[in-house]
Amino acid sequence: MQLFMKKLKTVKSKPSASDYIIPGSFNLTGQRDVFLYRNVKKICEEKGIEPIILLHERFWEDKDRNIVTEMNKTYKDAFVKCCEDNDVKVIDATPDMISAYKENFECSYGFSNTKPGDGHLNKTGHRIIAETIYRK
């Protein structure tokens, strides 16, 4: 397996999921993003379904035990506004995930073979998302 991983040219292993983000790829560029949201809305309307975008950010505690989220607030606010301006509903499960962590020390990401709080959603994360969507 290690030999296989060393030969990969398209994907190189990185320490955390956020390291795969290309700098600048989350910058809103007006026309491109509005075009995307309008098309999502149009396709959903043609199929008779409501477009919904689900947000769920990874988070961690800083050295002072404050919760820090991975998404830049300016970008997040602009993203949500762009969705709302194009009638695309946004559901943010992040506050519920943070509450589960603070109240019960439940991590929404990671498994027994990974770093807690990093990687893919786990059973707890999926449950919290389902509950968040159900309440909305």
Side-chain angles (χ1 to χ4, degrees):
M1 181 65 159
Q2 287 180 337
L3 180 61
F4 173 75
M5 292 300 290
K6 286 180 183 177
K7 289 185 176 185
L8 279 178
K9 293 182 180 171
T10 56
V11 179
K12 295 289 183 193
S13 181
K14 304 209 181 205
S16 82
S18 61
D19 292 329
Y20 289 93
I21 297 172
I22 297 169
S25 65
F26 284 116
N27 294 339
L28 292 176
T29 57
Q31 294 296 3
R32 184 187 74 195
D33 296 305
V34 169
F35 177 79
L36 171 67
Y37 302 125
R38 286 187 181 146
N39 278 334
V40 166
K41 182 182 173 205
K42 180 181 173 193
I43 291 166
C44 289
E45 284 175 347
E46 289 171 359
K47 296 183 181 289
I49 56 177
E50 177 186 15
I52 298 173
I53 292 182
L54 173 72
L55 292 178
H56 54 95
E57 297 180 69
R58 284 176 189 76
F59 59 90
W60 55 92
E61 289 184 343
D62 66 12
K63 62 183 170 96
D64 299 319
R65 301 197 50 125
N66 297 308
I67 298 293
V68 179
T69 57
E70 72 178 341
M71 192 179 287
N72 174 293
K73 182 174 174 8
T74 302
Y75 169 77
K76 182 177 180 178
D77 291 346
F79 175 79
V80 170
K81 182 176 180 344
C82 190
C83 289
E84 290 171 350
D85 289 349
N86 289 282
D87 298 318
V88 176
K89 184 176 183 175
V90 176
I91 296 175
D92 188 358
T94 310
D96 294 331
M97 291 177 162
I98 291 171
S99 292
Y101 174 75
K102 284 182 171 179
E103 295 166 15
N104 303 311
F105 299 103
E106 293 180 299
C107 285
S108 300
Y109 300 91
F111 298 87
S112 61
N113 64 343
T114 62
K115 181 176 144 188
D118 201 16
H120 294 280
L121 285 168
N122 57 29
K123 183 179 178 179
T124 299
H126 285 280
R127 176 185 51 79
I128 292 169
I129 284 175
E131 291 169 352
T132 302
I133 292 170
Y134 180 77
R135 282 194 311 277
K136 305 289 177 175

